[in-house]
Amino acid sequence: MAQIFHRSANFLARFSLLGAVVLGGLALTGVLVVARSPYITNERVSRNQPIQFSHKHHVGDEGIDCRYCHTSVESSAYAGIPPTKTCMNCHSVLFNNVGYLEPVRESFRTDQSIQWVKVHRLADYVYFNHSIHINKGIGCSSCHGSINQMPLVFQASPLTMSWCLDCHRNPQPNLRPRDQVFNMDWKAPADQEEAGKKLAAEYKLRTTVELTSCSTCHR
Amino acid sequence: MSVTQPPLKAPEIRRLDPVLEPGHTYASVTDKIAAVVLTRPLGIGWLAGFTLTFSLVMLLFGSLAWLIVKGVGIWGINIPIGWGFAIVNFVWWIGIGHAGTLISAILFLLNQKWRTSINRFAEAMTLFAVACAGIFPLIHTGRPWMAYYMFPYPSTMGIWPQFRSPLIWDVFAVSTYGTVSLMFWFIGLLPDLATLRDRAKNRIQQVIYGALALGWRGSAHHWHRYQSAYLLLAGLATPLVLSVHTVVSFDFAIAIVPGWHTTIFPPYFVAGAIYSGFAMVLTLAIPLRKAYGLEDFITMRHLDNMAKVMLATGLIVAYGYFVEFFMAFYSGNKFDVFLAQQRLHGPYAPYYYALILCNILTPQLLWFEKVRRNVAALFVMSLVINAGMWLERFVIVVISLTRDFVPSAWGRYQPTFWDFSTFIGTLGLFVMLIFLFVRGLPAIAIAEMRELVAQESHSGGDHK
Amino acid sequence: MSEHANDKELRVLQGAPQNAPAHDRGHDREHKDHAEDGTLRNFTLDLAAVREKLKEKSGKQYWRTLEELADDPHFQDLLHREFPRHASEWDDAVDRRNFLKLMGASLAFAGLAGCGRPDESHIVPYVKQPDGMVLGKPNFYATAMPFGADAVGVLVESHEGRPTKIEGNPDHPSSLGSTDALVQASILNLYDPDRAQTVLENGEIRSWSAFLDAAQGLATAIKAQNGAGFRILTGTVTSPTLAWQLRKILAQYPLAKWHQWEPASGEGAREGAKLAFGRNVNAVYVPGKANVILSLDSDFLASGPGHIAYAKQYARRRKLDGPNDTLNRLYVVEPTPTVTGSSADHRLPLKAGDIELFARALAGKLGLNSPVPLSGEAAKWLDAVATDLQKEHGASLVVAGEYQPPAVHALAHAINASLGNVGTTLYYTEPVEAESTENLESLRELCADMAAGKVDLLLILGGNPLYDAPHDFDFTSKLKRVPTAIHLSPYYDETSVYCHWHVSESHFLETWSDARAYDGTATIIQPLIAPLYYSRSAHDVVAAFSDKPGLPAYDAIRAYWTEASAHLGATIDVAWRKWLNDGVVPGTKFTPITPELKFSATSLPPFKPSPADQIEFIFRPDPNVYDGRFANNGWLQELPKPVTKLTWDNALLVSPKLAQKLEVAHKIASRGGEHGQVRSTVVDIALNGSKVTAAAWTLPGQAENSVVLPLGYGRTLAGFTGSNKGFNAYAVRTSNALWTASDGKITPTGDDYPLACTQYHFNMEGRQILSTGTLEEYRKNPAFAHEGAQAPAKDNSLYKEFEYKGYAWGMAIDLNKCNGCNACVVACQSENNIPVVGKDQVMRGREMHWIRIDRYYTNSESAASGKATGDPSEYNPSLDNPQTFFQPVPCQQCENAPCEQVCPVGATSHSAEGLNDMVYNRCIGTRYCSNNCPYKVRRFNFLRFQDWDTPQLKLLRNPEVSVRSRGVMEKCTYCVQRINNGRIEAEKQNRPIRDGEIVTACESACPSEAIVFGNANDPNSRVAKLKAQPRNYSLLGELNARPRTTYLAAVRNPNLELEKA
Amino acid sequence: MTEHRSQLFGVMGEFATPEQILSAAKQAREAGYKHVTAYTPFPVEGLAHAIGFRWTAVPLLTLIGGLGGGLTGFGLQYWVAAITYPMNIGGRPLNSWPAFIPVTFELTVLGASIFAVVGMLALNKLPQPYHPVFNVERFARASTDRFFLCIEARDPKFNLAETSRFLQSMAAEHVSEVKDED
């Protein structure tokens, strides 16, 4: 009988087997990595809006309070997107003839809503409530990032479930005094450790078990 | 070879049937078995059988496609009967999947020579049965595309499987069983692949079998480690094979449904599995030895022994049925008592009596040697028992659910066309794989047959 | 579950003008389409036009457009022209949808565009946000649902302008904070896609203004002849304004006539009052004050004016906190088991025709006339009842049934008077209906005139006479002879077809109106949403013929009440807002009057009893679809009828004995079986010279020789849901026998018909499920419910128990109060976006109700006994008059939940507050949890049950609850959305949740306050107190699942005299 | 293992029966040959011992695999159920160890089996499709009915003529050189 395979076959055979195992492992890890990547989470993806509205300008430079536009953030599940009327409060006077604000005026004239593109999209079965987070001293920037630096708003956090859980398991690091909630530049003080504990007690924060029960967010 | 008596004479001699007909040499066994794979042309029978089963597999794919499009509602299941054919078939196939590993592992440890000529295709059968079984737990879910939730992986949701659920145990048990059986089967194949490589008639065969043989040379070192590994695998597979059907039985025993919540389940599920497994081995072995003239290797001795195993396990199963009743009445649990009565004269009583007939009464014929040695009878009986074991699972899964705790919720179950098409589809898949197997790989372990020849020649013919 | 996307859209809707949710794409195209209609509909449609219409649409919109096209009559003509064969399949949902897709594919492939990653979704804010609206916070508005001679005051939950849920109005006498199944379901009618959507003239779409012109044209013509030939047909009118408008019309057209026809409300009360008092008066009962109540075939707990209030008062008298509490006692004599009869302490099945005899006998016993001999059971009964009533002089009550003849009512009045009940347990007021006319005679007259060609202009305001008029009137042929008939109705129904004009009627949530409750209290009906379609109210249509055509309903209402306010001593501008806010107009409640009794029982003509063995046919409105007006309401169609548990069909109700005699039987089909499909014998009913074929249903407790033909089914033009369901009992109903007919014939045809029955097996098989006892037993041993089945002690577990330190939500259901009225079931369906699955799926045992009401017969033969099957499929004597009990079964929220342990993915687990959470998006649908649930309360989406396509239905959904898709398990959550919102509000105010602050949908709907929800950890909460009672027990407690939902055993208060006899 | 190019790998004697190869192997050892290998169509009892091959690591590997699998199994379940996301599942304790046993067991078996098989192959240096012995024509029968004894060239005592004669002396039906060409 003659050799069926060349000597190199030995190396090839062993290498390919090993390779298969390694590749499989890599592929698996890859999937897990991609699932956490902005491609899936839409993190840091800024979108084109019908009007180039700049939070940086309005909040950062002009220092308008979040609640001037997002009126229901303290009382309702939804922070609320301002009606055209709110824009016109100022822009009927300021920049009242610049071209890039035409869509606003048009909307006001024609009574047709401005169609903003959603930036923060939660899954349909997640019931997030703004008001309770605000009331328990979670600042806007804790989730939305420093909006006041954003010419175009993008999603600053992954908004994955495990991300939510991180905070629901251990909220202390993110707790602020209520008067700091809308402060975009708030930084955790050095003593956040016990400050957080104190606030948690003050706010009567629910226990981790309660905060991580399924029905806290899913119904 | 010293057994020179003509085979059919006084019973005490017949009982000493050989596990290998006399007159065989290393070469002859090798030739005969390898020829089936290497030289023998495709018969019309094979082609016809393959075409038929292949079309059934297409039916299976069709059914699955429709299932994905519409949802499990195309089946007969409802509330209260949340599980129907899918789980029945799953348990049935898994059960069948037990004989192979059992034969190759346990009989190996017990040093039963007669296992040699049947273990190879029994193992193959196991793999294919497990493949068929594996389909069902996946497709019976409402959202199969989400089934990966059942595997422990670090998800972005930060949640994991719920390990208290027997269904998760199933996932691990079945996949482990599949993997181990595959490895067991493959290393068993190694020396024979080498044989085929060395006898291959053309380059393609050479390359294929050569690659699969991994360069096996049968050196003393190889054989030494090989035997050590094989023995260990056998030792591992034995508890494994027992555990798998035990775990499957937990699917029911862990639940609180009357008729499921029973401690007898693990042993009698295992016995039942072996029972149906051997029945299926017979169902396959009998036509196989006929078609490829392997009567010399799969002798009456084998059939006789398998018949005896079936008889024994059948009796264990019968005991299981009895204990179910006994415990129901002994415990006085009103729900269990009620269910026991339902089995006897509830709407599904006919199924229960059919089950008793198939699984307990018919096999009693195996007490008679005449029956055990009548190939035709054995074949029919193996079919009956397979049917019976399927009925058993139907009785357990469906009847228990039809009338549980709250009478207002009582219901009935009737399978739909899609229930049947899926089941028949897997039957087709199973047989098709068998067809491919017998033509692609040696259906009998050649190396072990050679070993047997050696032993026979030494043991001077007194067969143990 | 990507399918959720659309629904999410709705949940975050941020752009609706107060009451026109223009944000929903589908919806605002509604408008665009109608805009196009004008142009598009002038020429008839052809394929090219359709292609044109579809060209620029793509993806979802594409199909939507197709769906809308489907409602365009021209498109349907087109289909018939182009695809004659398929067009026949039009009415079948599945085929219809598939066919649409087919059509789509064949027209253009534009629809297949747009795969890949989900495209951007949009936020559509208001341009000018209405005041007082906080996004994401529902508002509640008070209004009322007019129904027959009553109106139920309601508070309607509105999310950004979409009414989504109806609750009771505590300030309204007919509601007292509760509702019934019909009220709960009425919101589905609002969004029904099959509603008539425009004004039609001979099937051609017309604008409202076109109608106004036509109306004025007709008006002038009629005026010329002084109104002769002008007829108006209405149902019972309780709207003061409408009556006012009508009277003005009649004044304008002196010779015009106003006819009334209510097919399903009896005239006995009206005529009986006339008999007793010489004029029509309205009897208002106060069951709360009665210690002994006798119902003469009256279902006052579940139907008829004021039944919600009556049920509440009655239930409060069934409260049993300790051995010293007393219960009232209810006797019911009735031919067919009703909700009231089923919750009676003593029930006597009697042919409807014999009830008058019983009443006379009772009067005799009380010395109001010469004694009347009774035979058998009835005689025994009579003595006991009579003595009992007399014992409770002034605190007893006799209620006569709606469908009983005037004599019975007159007798009831006399008896109540003689028992001194008037003024205590009942009082009289002026009639609630604006115009008391004898419906039957009124309709007879109209028909006669139509036949005689005396009617030139017929205005039909609501109602469907063509379908529900007595068949001997032959309304159809007569209507054909009317030159101009105008029909106002919510659907283009049987009658509309024969009318020249059809105006689609607005839903009560879409229009201004007003209505009076059973005690006269008036409510201003205010709209919650602009009409979804081009629909109008009766006020508009009437105004069209007045001197002020086009007068908006609002102005009419306002005008009337401006006048009325004077009498009420209020200035409307001040009072108006408060009236709207409260949902009642103060001071409109009728003051009691004391009409003198001009009737003596002796004056009655001698009673001629019908032979006992003669079969009596009685007509009754269906408990779910009533007279047929709710036929197209999927919630009600799929709602198991209280006693029979039938869905989607009506059936001839037959007593077990008679069934045996007639050889009508049931076969339990193996698909679905006891919990789904029962095949029953089909019979031909020959009656009043007409014939109808029906499925016969054996009903335990039915009077032996009495059979019931439930009205309201067999509609041909009800819409997709309601057409061709059941059989049409009106077909054999004649004017001479509106409620009770005899000498008819029942002959089995030999074939059988599948009926969808959600509970067939009625025996508890000796299990501790529905625990019942008598007051005696209770007083002897208040904890009798625990006998035999003890729940294991908490401490006999190897493991440490979980502790629930904070809130521990729990529910207690008092079986002593529950009367099985079904309000909770529909309320739950409405609150939790529960889909309707259709008859076929119900027959497979796949209905989705999160709370079901089980019905058991306690003294029935059991299956275990081997003697009987535990169901009505074979006769046994215990079925003749079984003791009936109802048990609502929601998820029991077990602490040791068997379902949770077996879920492989942890999709169901326990919350820190002890809720058995179900996470749909984690569920992979193994159904293991359901198998392991001893109570079988879990529901599985076997197919895609939820309707994702119909835009109207999207508006209906509760944004607070996930909409479940195919392949996931679902179940009662204790309305976790309400719990969470309640908790969030409480936490914001930094206070604990108050008891009663969180109310589940079922609890708030329940008229008899049988369901109580709350924090079991708070010893002062109502639920904790109930759970502390010895009557409290767990369903199947011995399983040690530790349900959070527990039951209080039912205790009946039988009359010992009758018991021992 | 075969570093040297196109040169002698060893000589191979062919025998007819297991007995012959067994005695041949013994004699070769006695004759002082170290690098002796026997090739047989089926395992011949005592042959490995005869050519001086006693201990194999396979059982040890299997043990390691088993322990590893088992520990991973239980560890994973405990971590999931009690540490990373403790949930109240039907009132059952967080560490429901009895419920964790089935998975632990299965993973033990899985680990052990994989280690046993992979270990065996690795120690046997498989896959190794190419090997000098395949160059011998008659070696094809090694997988059917012939028994070969190969004395390798790297053996210090190896000498082509000597060794060949030695093999013939043991009634080898056939003696052939084993070349290791490219």
CSV table of all heavy atoms in Angstrom, one decimal, chain C residues 995-1028:
chain,number,residue,atom,x,y,z
C,995,ASP,N,-55.0,51.7,51.9
C,995,ASP,CA,-55.8,50.6,51.6
C,995,ASP,C,-56.9,51.1,50.7
C,995,ASP,O,-57.5,52.2,50.9
C,995,ASP,CB,-56.4,50.0,52.9
C,995,ASP,CG,-57.3,48.8,52.6
C,995,ASP,OD1,-56.9,48.0,51.7
C,995,ASP,OD2,-58.3,48.6,53.2
C,996,GLY,N,-57.2,50.4,49.6
C,996,GLY,CA,-58.2,50.7,48.7
C,996,GLY,C,-57.8,51.7,47.6
C,996,GLY,O,-58.5,52.1,46.7
C,997,GLU,N,-56.5,52.2,47.7
C,997,GLU,CA,-56.0,53.1,46.7
C,997,GLU,C,-55.8,52.4,45.4
C,997,GLU,O,-56.0,52.9,44.3
C,997,GLU,CB,-54.7,53.7,47.3
C,997,GLU,CG,-54.1,54.8,46.4
C,997,GLU,CD,-52.9,55.4,47.0
C,997,GLU,OE1,-52.5,55.1,48.1
C,997,GLU,OE2,-52.3,56.3,46.3
C,998,ILE,N,-55.3,51.2,45.5
C,998,ILE,CA,-55.1,50.3,44.3
C,998,ILE,C,-56.2,49.4,44.2
C,998,ILE,O,-56.5,48.6,45.1
C,998,ILE,CB,-53.8,49.6,44.4
C,998,ILE,CG1,-52.6,50.6,44.5
C,998,ILE,CG2,-53.6,48.7,43.2
C,998,ILE,CD1,-51.3,49.9,44.7
C,999,VAL,N,-56.9,49.5,43.1
C,999,VAL,CA,-58.1,48.6,42.9
C,999,VAL,C,-57.9,47.9,41.6
C,999,VAL,O,-57.6,48.5,40.5
C,999,VAL,CB,-59.4,49.5,42.8
C,999,VAL,CG1,-60.6,48.6,42.6
C,999,VAL,CG2,-59.5,50.3,44.0
C,1000,THR,N,-58.0,46.6,41.6
C,1000,THR,CA,-57.9,45.8,40.4
C,1000,THR,C,-59.1,46.0,39.5
C,1000,THR,O,-60.2,46.3,40.0
C,1000,THR,CB,-57.7,44.3,40.7
C,1000,THR,OG1,-58.9,43.8,41.3
C,1000,THR,CG2,-56.5,44.0,41.6
C,1001,ALA,N,-58.9,45.7,38.2
C,1001,ALA,CA,-60.1,45.9,37.3
C,1001,ALA,C,-61.3,45.1,37.7
C,1001,ALA,O,-62.4,45.6,37.7
C,1001,ALA,CB,-59.6,45.5,35.9
C,1002,CYS,N,-61.0,43.8,38.1
C,1002,CYS,CA,-62.2,43.0,38.4
C,1002,CYS,C,-62.9,43.5,39.6
C,1002,CYS,O,-64.1,43.6,39.7
C,1002,CYS,CB,-61.7,41.5,38.6
C,1002,CYS,SG,-60.3,41.4,39.8
C,1003,GLU,N,-62.1,44.0,40.6
C,1003,GLU,CA,-62.7,44.5,41.9
C,1003,GLU,C,-63.5,45.7,41.6
C,1003,GLU,O,-64.7,45.8,42.0
C,1003,GLU,CB,-61.6,44.8,42.9
C,1003,GLU,CG,-62.1,45.4,44.2
C,1003,GLU,CD,-60.9,45.8,45.1
C,1003,GLU,OE1,-59.8,45.9,44.6
C,1003,GLU,OE2,-61.2,46.1,46.3
C,1004,SER,N,-63.0,46.6,40.8
C,1004,SER,CA,-63.7,47.8,40.6
C,1004,SER,C,-65.0,47.6,39.8
C,1004,SER,O,-66.0,48.3,39.9
C,1004,SER,CB,-62.9,48.9,39.8
C,1004,SER,OG,-62.8,48.5,38.5
C,1005,ALA,N,-65.0,46.5,39.0
C,1005,ALA,CA,-66.2,46.3,38.2
C,1005,ALA,C,-67.3,45.6,39.0
C,1005,ALA,O,-68.5,45.8,38.7
C,1005,ALA,CB,-65.9,45.5,36.9
C,1006,CYS,N,-66.9,44.8,40.0
C,1006,CYS,CA,-67.8,43.9,40.6
C,1006,CYS,C,-69.0,44.6,41.3
C,1006,CYS,O,-68.8,45.4,42.2
C,1006,CYS,CB,-67.1,43.1,41.7
C,1006,CYS,SG,-68.2,41.9,42.5
C,1007,PRO,N,-70.2,44.4,40.8
C,1007,PRO,CA,-71.4,45.1,41.4
C,1007,PRO,C,-71.6,44.6,42.9
C,1007,PRO,O,-72.1,45.4,43.7
C,1007,PRO,CB,-72.5,44.7,40.5
C,1007,PRO,CG,-71.9,44.0,39.3
C,1007,PRO,CD,-70.6,43.5,39.8
C,1008,SER,N,-71.2,43.4,43.2
C,1008,SER,CA,-71.6,42.9,44.6
C,1008,SER,C,-70.4,43.0,45.5
C,1008,SER,O,-70.5,42.4,46.6
C,1008,SER,CB,-72.2,41.5,44.5
C,1008,SER,OG,-71.3,40.7,43.7
C,1009,GLU,N,-69.4,43.7,45.1
C,1009,GLU,CA,-68.2,43.9,46.1
C,1009,GLU,C,-67.7,42.6,46.6
C,1009,GLU,O,-67.3,42.5,47.8
C,1009,GLU,CB,-68.6,44.8,47.2
C,1009,GLU,CG,-69.0,46.2,46.8
C,1009,GLU,CD,-69.7,47.0,47.8
C,1009,GLU,OE1,-70.4,46.4,48.7
C,1009,GLU,OE2,-69.7,48.2,47.7
C,1010,ALA,N,-67.7,41.5,45.7
C,1010,ALA,CA,-67.3,40.2,46.2
C,1010,ALA,C,-65.8,40.1,46.2
C,1010,ALA,O,-65.2,39.3,46.9
C,1010,ALA,CB,-67.9,39.1,45.3
C,1011,ILE,N,-65.1,40.9,45.4
C,1011,ILE,CA,-63.6,40.9,45.2
C,1011,ILE,C,-63.0,42.0,46.0
C,1011,ILE,O,-63.4,43.2,45.8
C,1011,ILE,CB,-63.2,40.9,43.7
C,1011,ILE,CG1,-63.9,39.8,42.9
C,1011,ILE,CG2,-61.7,40.8,43.6
C,1011,ILE,CD1,-63.7,39.8,41.5
C,1012,VAL,N,-62.1,41.7,46.9
C,1012,VAL,CA,-61.4,42.7,47.6
C,1012,VAL,C,-59.9,42.5,47.5
C,1012,VAL,O,-59.4,41.3,47.7
C,1012,VAL,CB,-61.8,42.7,49.1
C,1012,VAL,CG1,-60.9,43.6,49.9
C,1012,VAL,CG2,-63.2,43.0,49.3
C,1013,PHE,N,-59.1,43.5,47.1
C,1013,PHE,CA,-57.7,43.4,46.9
C,1013,PHE,C,-57.0,44.4,47.8
C,1013,PHE,O,-57.5,45.4,48.2
C,1013,PHE,CB,-57.4,43.8,45.4
C,1013,PHE,CG,-55.9,43.9,45.1
C,1013,PHE,CD1,-55.2,42.8,44.8
C,1013,PHE,CD2,-55.3,45.2,45.2
C,1013,PHE,CE1,-53.8,42.9,44.6
C,1013,PHE,CE2,-54.0,45.3,44.9
C,1013,PHE,CZ,-53.2,44.1,44.6
C,1014,GLY,N,-55.8,44.0,48.3
C,1014,GLY,CA,-55.1,44.9,49.1
C,1014,GLY,C,-53.8,44.3,49.7
C,1014,GLY,O,-53.4,43.2,49.3
C,1015,ASN,N,-53.3,45.0,50.7
C,1015,ASN,CA,-52.0,44.6,51.3
C,1015,ASN,C,-52.3,43.7,52.5
C,1015,ASN,O,-52.7,44.1,53.6
C,1015,ASN,CB,-51.3,45.8,51.8
C,1015,ASN,CG,-50.0,45.4,52.6
C,1015,ASN,OD1,-49.6,44.3,52.6
C,1015,ASN,ND2,-49.4,46.4,53.2
C,1016,ALA,N,-52.0,42.4,52.4
C,1016,ALA,CA,-52.4,41.4,53.4
C,1016,ALA,C,-51.5,41.6,54.6
C,1016,ALA,O,-51.8,41.1,55.7
C,1016,ALA,CB,-52.2,40.0,52.9
C,1017,ASN,N,-50.4,42.3,54.5
C,1017,ASN,CA,-49.5,42.5,55.6
C,1017,ASN,C,-50.0,43.6,56.6
C,1017,ASN,O,-49.6,43.7,57.7
C,1017,ASN,CB,-48.1,42.9,55.1
C,1017,ASN,CG,-47.2,41.7,54.9
C,1017,ASN,OD1,-47.6,40.6,55.2
C,1017,ASN,ND2,-46.0,42.0,54.5
C,1018,ASP,N,-51.0,44.4,56.1
C,1018,ASP,CA,-51.5,45.5,56.9
C,1018,ASP,C,-52.8,44.9,57.6
C,1018,ASP,O,-53.8,44.8,57.0
C,1018,ASP,CB,-51.8,46.7,56.1
C,1018,ASP,CG,-52.7,47.7,56.8
C,1018,ASP,OD1,-52.9,47.5,58.0
C,1018,ASP,OD2,-53.2,48.6,56.1
C,1019,PRO,N,-52.7,44.7,58.9
C,1019,PRO,CA,-53.8,44.0,59.6
C,1019,PRO,C,-55.1,44.8,59.5
C,1019,PRO,O,-56.2,44.3,59.7
C,1019,PRO,CB,-53.3,44.0,61.1
C,1019,PRO,CG,-52.2,44.9,61.2
C,1019,PRO,CD,-51.6,45.0,59.8
C,1020,ASN,N,-55.0,46.1,59.2
C,1020,ASN,CA,-56.2,47.0,59.1
C,1020,ASN,C,-56.8,47.0,57.8
C,1020,ASN,O,-57.8,47.6,57.6
C,1020,ASN,CB,-55.9,48.4,59.6
C,1020,ASN,CG,-55.3,48.4,61.0
C,1020,ASN,OD1,-55.7,47.5,61.8
C,1020,ASN,ND2,-54.3,49.2,61.3
C,1021,SER,N,-56.1,46.4,56.8
C,1021,SER,CA,-56.7,46.5,55.4
C,1021,SER,C,-57.9,45.6,55.3
C,1021,SER,O,-58.0,44.6,56.1
C,1021,SER,CB,-55.6,46.0,54.4
C,1021,SER,OG,-55.4,44.6,54.6
C,1022,ARG,N,-58.8,45.9,54.4
C,1022,ARG,CA,-60.0,45.2,54.2
C,1022,ARG,C,-59.7,43.7,53.9
C,1022,ARG,O,-60.3,42.8,54.5
C,1022,ARG,CB,-60.8,45.7,53.1
C,1022,ARG,CG,-61.3,47.2,53.3
C,1022,ARG,CD,-61.6,47.8,52.0
C,1022,ARG,NE,-60.5,47.7,51.0
C,1022,ARG,CZ,-60.7,47.5,49.7
C,1022,ARG,NH1,-61.9,47.5,49.2
C,1022,ARG,NH2,-59.6,47.4,48.9
C,1023,VAL,N,-58.7,43.5,53.1
C,1023,VAL,CA,-58.4,42.1,52.6
C,1023,VAL,C,-57.9,41.3,53.8
C,1023,VAL,O,-58.3,40.2,54.0
C,1023,VAL,CB,-57.4,42.1,51.5
C,1023,VAL,CG1,-56.0,42.6,51.9
C,1023,VAL,CG2,-57.4,40.8,50.8
C,1024,ALA,N,-57.0,42.0,54.6
C,1024,ALA,CA,-56.4,41.2,55.8
C,1024,ALA,C,-57.6,40.8,56.7
C,1024,ALA,O,-57.6,39.7,57.2
C,1024,ALA,CB,-55.4,42.1,56.5
C,1025,LYS,N,-58.5,41.7,56.9
C,1025,LYS,CA,-59.6,41.4,57.8
C,1025,LYS,C,-60.4,40.2,57.3
C,1025,LYS,O,-60.8,39.3,58.0
C,1025,LYS,CB,-60.6,42.6,58.0
C,1025,LYS,CG,-59.9,43.8,58.7
C,1025,LYS,CD,-60.9,44.7,59.4
C,1025,LYS,CE,-60.3,45.8,60.2
C,1025,LYS,NZ,-60.2,47.0,59.3
C,1026,LEU,N,-60.7,40.3,56.0
C,1026,LEU,CA,-61.4,39.1,55.4
C,1026,LEU,C,-60.7,37.8,55.5
C,1026,LEU,O,-61.2,36.8,55.9
C,1026,LEU,CB,-61.7,39.4,53.9
C,1026,LEU,CG,-62.8,40.5,53.7
C,1026,LEU,CD1,-62.9,40.8,52.2
C,1026,LEU,CD2,-64.1,40.0,54.2
C,1027,LYS,N,-59.3,37.9,55.3
C,1027,LYS,CA,-58.5,36.7,55.3
C,1027,LYS,C,-58.5,36.2,56.8
C,1027,LYS,O,-58.2,35.0,57.0
C,1027,LYS,CB,-57.1,37.0,54.8
C,1027,LYS,CG,-57.1,37.0,53.3
C,1027,LYS,CD,-55.7,37.4,52.8
C,1027,LYS,CE,-55.6,37.5,51.3
C,1027,LYS,NZ,-55.7,36.2,50.6
C,1028,ALA,N,-58.7,37.0,57.7
C,1028,ALA,CA,-58.7,36.6,59.1
C,1028,ALA,C,-59.9,35.8,59.5
C,1028,ALA,O,-60.0,35.1,60.5
C,1028,ALA,CB,-58.5,37.8,60.0
